[in-house]
Each structure stands twice: as structure tokens, then as C-alpha cells.
């Protein structure tokens, strides 16, 4: 009989990381999810009210309430609830002036919704690099890339290589850690580019005392089932520009002109309104967000302490002058340990600690492989090093 193929030995670092996980979370009795929702407040009461009254669709008191509550929570002047975070980002880009044929700068290290929203407008994603400190767009390398490929012509930035207008820069706050917004806003202003924040993962995160979503001209949030708070599906647009806020609400309600009975629409709109049923769930969740984030930060402190004792691993901490929601706790392997990345993921998942790598980098996906891009070598290194760990608030209890 043929002998079985030899089994690769488990790298020592995988066992060290497994030991740190046991120190923080104990030995699992079944798979520990990456992030699961928690319903322990008024969720059932508010949702039941919608069912009892019949106000379950896109009109209802909870839709208006969640918009006011989000504005109060984030400090933004206007919050517009949407069906999901991708819809919110789509509208953000439209209101940023992105047109078919334009290019939009965005990190290759992001979730696919960021790039897809650009494609919905028939614009072209133009991928840029991230920095290892925050995993957000690297302002210095972005500026260097623009000096190489672009020029300012009047009030617009033009890609000299393609002739296209570079209309917007979308920055993403990876796993809830704010990116360097001041530096990125300065680069965007100098190059006549509109700054948009993909704040889908950063509800409850603050950059120099301001909630994320308040530095860019407009921003998108997500309330998917795996986020800090959830509406089931859902998202929101944030802006401090009254006209953008008005227009965002109009576009997301099919651009219908208010009338007691007639259906009049004055531009192409979108059926992106968040249903009242989902908004009710979100209102109850938002009441509990401060407490959930407090517990998530306690969990992050435990992870940080445990991984401080593991050589070859860095626990990703909030940037200076920032407060992170630690949506997903994250470790980064040293470059010398990159070959162990898959082995670590295998060991952790086999031990019932659900763990995930970064999303596939956007420029590596077939539909985006031909898009313009900068040198993204830092992001490529991170893709071989980043691992997300279980991060549900209840794990701190």
C-alpha cells in the first residue's frame, strides 16, 4: 500500500496564538462566532409595536426616530437611514458628483461593497495602498502616487494616463479603527478630490474627538447583522451639509415629490429607504451601543495583554488620538511569520475560534484586475498577515 503523504508540522507560532486565545476566551464548547448580534434591550418591544400597528415598511415613526438618534449619537447634522450600507455608499458617491467614466480612489484593502458602489455608477475604481498602523489609506503614498499620475486642471483632478477625472477618494475605517483623516483630507483638498468616508465598520469610533463620518463631505454606515449594532440589514448616510442631507433623503425615497395622493418623481431615484421594522430594531440597538462598545473594548484589552506575550505577532490597537469600537479584534503576523498565515487560520478554526483573513484585495478580483492602481505592496503584505478574531461583546462577560 502507498504510504500517506507526510503531514506538515504545525508552526510554533500557531500554537502560541492558540494558547493566547485560550487565555482570553477559555476552551470553546462549540464554535465561537466572529461577531454575533446581541438582543437584550427593547428590541422585541419596538419590533412588536411595528407588527401590532402594521407600520412595517418604509414609512413609520421608527424610521424618523433612528435618523434623529443617529444624528445625536454621531454628532452629524443629518442622518438618512437606508436599506443597507452599500446603498448608503452608492448615494454618497452620487452626491459627491461621481459620474460615469470618472475614477474613484479607494483602498484595495476593503470589503467589496466599496468597489461595487463605484461600479454601480459606471465609474472606475482606482486602487491605492494602506498603512500598516491603521490599515487605512496611506496619505503619504497616496500623495506620491497622485504626483506621479495626476494633475490638477481647473477645479478637477485628471489622471494623465487615462484622461479620466479622479472625482472622489473613499477612505475606509478598517475594523473600526479610524484612518488618518486630517492627512487624507489635506491630500484630497490639494488635489481637488471629494473625500467620502466608508464608515460602515466604525459606529462608535472617534477621530480626535469627532465621530467618524464627520470629516469627509459625506459618509456611509452599515448595520448588517455582524456589525456593532444591527437593523438586520440597513445602513445610513451622514453629512453636515444641509443640501446633501435633503438630496440624500429625496434620492433614497425614489425621488418622489411629496403629494397627498399623486405619484410624482422629479429625477431618477432609488428604493433605498430603511423599513420601519428594521429601524425599530436599530433604535433599540442604538440605545445599547455605548455599553456594547465598553465591553468590546474590555475584550480588546484582554487580547492585547495576551498577545503582548506572543513573539512574532502584533495586536492592532487604536491609533493615537482615536477611540476605536474594536469591531473586529485583529492580529498581524510579522513578515517573517507570513508563511504560517494559513496554518494559524486552520489551527484556530479547528479549535472552534472562528477566525478570518482579510477580504481578497480588490485588485486581485477578476472584475477589478484591470483597474488603475498605485503600488499596493503594503496591502499585499497585510493580506498575508492579518487575522480577525472573535469579537462579540458577550465574550467580555
Amino acid at each position: 500500500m502507498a504510504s500517506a503523504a507526510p503531514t506538515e508540522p504545525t508552526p510554533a507560532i500557531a500554537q502560541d496564538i492558540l494558547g493566547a486565545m485560550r487565555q482570553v476566551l477559555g476552551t470553546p464548547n462549540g464554535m465561537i462566532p466572529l461577531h454575533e448580534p446581541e438582543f437584550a434591550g427593547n428590541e422585541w418591544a419596538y419590533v412588536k409595536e411595528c407588527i401590532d400597528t402594521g407600520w412595517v415598511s418604509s414609512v413609520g415613526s421608527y424610521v424618523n426616530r433612528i435618523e434623529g438618534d443617529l444624528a445625536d449619537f454621531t454628532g452629524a447634522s443629518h442622518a438618512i437611514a437606508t436599506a443597507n450600507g452599500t446603498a448608503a455608499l452608492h448615494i454618497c458617491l452620487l452626491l459627491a458628483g461621481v459620474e460615469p467614466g470618472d475614477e474613484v480612489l479607494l483602498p484595495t484593502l476593503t470589503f467589496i461593497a466599496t468597489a461595487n458602489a463605484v461600479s454601480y455608477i459606471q465609474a472606475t475604481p482606482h486602487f491605492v495602498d494602506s498603512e500598516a498602523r491603521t490599515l487605512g489609506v496611506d496619505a503619504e503614498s497616496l500623495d506620491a502616487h497622485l504626483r506621479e499620475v495626476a494633475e490638477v486642471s481647473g477645479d478637477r483632478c485628471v489622471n494623465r494616463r487615462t484622461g479620466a477625472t479622479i472625482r472622489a477618494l473613499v477612505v475606509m475605517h478598517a475594523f473600526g479603527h479610524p484612518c488618518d483623516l486630517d492627512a487624507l483630507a489635506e491630500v484630497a483638498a490639494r488635489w481637488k478630490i471629494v473625500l467620502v468616508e466608508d464608515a460602515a465598520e466604525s459606529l462608535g469610533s472617534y477621530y480626535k474627538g469627532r465621530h467618524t463620518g464627520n470629516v469627509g463631505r459625506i459618509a456611509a454606515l452599515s448595520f448588517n447583522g455582524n456589525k456593532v449594532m444591527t437593523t438586520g440589514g440597513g445602513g445610513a448616510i451622514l453629512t453636515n451639509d444641509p443640501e446633501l442631507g435633503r438630496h440624500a433623503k429625496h434620492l433614497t425615497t425614489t425621488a418622489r415629490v411629496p403629494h397627498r395622493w399623486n405619484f410624482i418623481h422629479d429625477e431618477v431615484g432609488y428604493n433605498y429607504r430603511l423599513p420601519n421594522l428594521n429601524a425599530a430594531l436599530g433604535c433599540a440597538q442604538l440605545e445599547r451601543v455605548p455599553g456594547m462598545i465598553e465591553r468590546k473594548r474590555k475584550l480588546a484589552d484582554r487580547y492585547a495583554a495576551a498577545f503582548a506575550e506572543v513573539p512574532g505577532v502584533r495586536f492592532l490597537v487604536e491609533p493615537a488620538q482615536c477611540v476605536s469600537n474594536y469591531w473586529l479584534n485583529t492580529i498581524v503576523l510579522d513578515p517573517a511569520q507570513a508563511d504560517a498565515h494559513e496554518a494559524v487560520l486552520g489551527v484556530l478554526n479547528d479549535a472552534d475560534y472562528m477566525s478570518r483573513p482579510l477580504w481578497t484585495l480588490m485588485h486581485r478580483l477578476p472584475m477589478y484586475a484591470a483597474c488603475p492602481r498605485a503600488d499596493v505592496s503594503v496591502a499585499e503584505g497585510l493580506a498575508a498577515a492579518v487575522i480577525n478574531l472573535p469579537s462579540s461583546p458577550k465574550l467580555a462577560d
Side-chain angles (χ1 to χ4, degrees):
M1 293 178 61
S3 59
T7 303
E8 290 287 332
T10 302
I13 192 170
Q15 293 302 325
D16 291 342
I17 291 172
L18 180 60
M21 295 297 295
R22 287 175 174 153
Q23 180 182 331
V24 175
L25 300 180
T27 301
N29 182 21
M31 180 66 76
I32 299 178
L34 198 64
H35 200 288
E36 59 182 328
E38 181 179 276
F39 306 118
N42 290 315
E43 289 88 352
W44 172 238
Y46 292 172
V47 170
K48 185 175 184 300
E49 181 184 336
C50 295
I51 295 170
D52 289 344
T53 61
W55 291 98
V56 297
S57 193
S58 57
V59 177
S61 62
Y62 283 109
V63 182
N64 295 328
R65 175 178 163 181
I66 198 170
E67 291 178 334
D69 290 352
L70 283 168
D72 290 342
F73 184 85
T74 62
S77 298
H78 303 275
I80 300 89
T82 61
N84 54 60
T86 309
L89 190 55
H90 180 200
I91 298 299
C92 285
L93 293 171
L94 287 172
L95 294 178
V98 177
E99 300 177 351
D102 285 349
E103 292 178 8
V104 176
L105 300 164
L106 66 149
T108 189
L109 191 168
T110 190
F111 181 59
I112 194 168
T114 317
N116 283 350
V118 176
S119 297
Y120 296 164
I121 306 174
Q122 296 181 305
T124 300
H126 184 147
F127 300 116
V128 297
D129 209 3
S130 296
E131 59 175 7
R133 179 176 58 94
T134 67
L135 308 189
V137 171
D138 187 319
E140 186 175 344
S141 72
L142 170 62
D143 189 53
H145 175 63
L146 289 171
R147 289 198 304 269
E148 180 181 346
V149 305
E151 63 185 11
V152 173
S153 176
D155 62 351
R156 67 191 184 105
C157 180
V158 177
N159 186 333
R160 291 195 305 268
R161 295 176 177 174
T162 65
T165 297
I166 301 176
R167 189 75 65 183
L169 163 65
V170 181
V171 298
M172 192 268 294
H173 305 297
F175 310 127
H177 297 292
C179 57
D180 191 354
L181 284 167
D182 282 350
L184 289 161
E186 194 276 330
V187 172
R190 185 166 63 252
W191 287 94
K192 308 296 183 183
I193 295 169
V194 179
L195 178 63
V196 176
E197 290 182 61
D198 182 346
E201 302 169 4
S202 64
L203 182 73
S205 296
Y206 293 82
Y207 175 83
K208 296 183 179 179
R210 301 178 70 188
H211 194 285
T212 53
N214 280 285
V215 175
R217 189 174 181 199
I218 196 165
L221 297 173
S222 171
F223 308 130
N224 190 32
N226 65 351
K227 295 298 191 296
V228 171
M229 67 163 263
T230 184
T231 58
I237 298 162
L238 301 179
T239 183
N240 290 300
D241 184 316
E243 174 55 24
L244 288 186
R246 182 206 65 78
H247 201 181
K249 194 157 190 173
H250 187 58
L251 285 176
T252 56
T253 52
T254 67
R256 184 180 179 186
V257 178
H259 192 278
R260 288 177 61 195
W261 55 80
N262 286 328
F263 292 88
I264 304 168
H265 307 263
D266 59 2
E267 61 182 312
V268 175
Y270 301 87
N271 190 15
Y272 281 174
R273 198 80 172 126
L274 182 70
N276 198 50
L277 196 69
N278 299 84
L281 184 66
C283 286
Q285 286 271 285
L286 191 55
E287 292 172 349
R288 302 183 51 252
V289 162
M292 288 193 286
I293 291 179
E294 181 181 1
R295 290 152 66 212
K296 286 173 66 61
R297 288 177 60 82
K298 287 180 181 177
L299 177 62
D301 286 343
R302 294 176 191 170
Y303 273 130
F307 282 105
E309 306 301 319
V310 180
V313 178
R314 170 172 65 95
F315 181 75
L316 192 68
V317 298
E318 61 195 7
Q321 302 185 67
C322 295
V323 176
S324 175
N325 65 13
Y326 284 95
W327 171 50
L328 291 184
N329 290 290
T330 303
I331 56 173
V332 185
L333 305 182
D334 288 351
Q337 302 290 347
D339 289 347
H341 189 242
E342 285 294 304
V344 172
L345 285 163
V347 165
L348 293 182
N349 283 284
D350 287 346
D352 286 339
Y353 302 105
M354 185 179 287
S355 306
R356 293 292 182 265
L358 278 179
W359 315 281
T360 300
L361 299 179
M362 295 299 99
H363 73 278
R364 292 178 174 171
L365 296 173
M367 60 284 202
Y368 294 129
C371 290
R373 68 174 185 265
D375 176 359
V376 292
S377 53
V378 172
E380 288 174 332
L382 289 167
V386 166
I387 295 173
N388 294 134
L389 306 175
S391 302
S392 303
K394 72 176 187 179
L395 297 177
D397 297 340

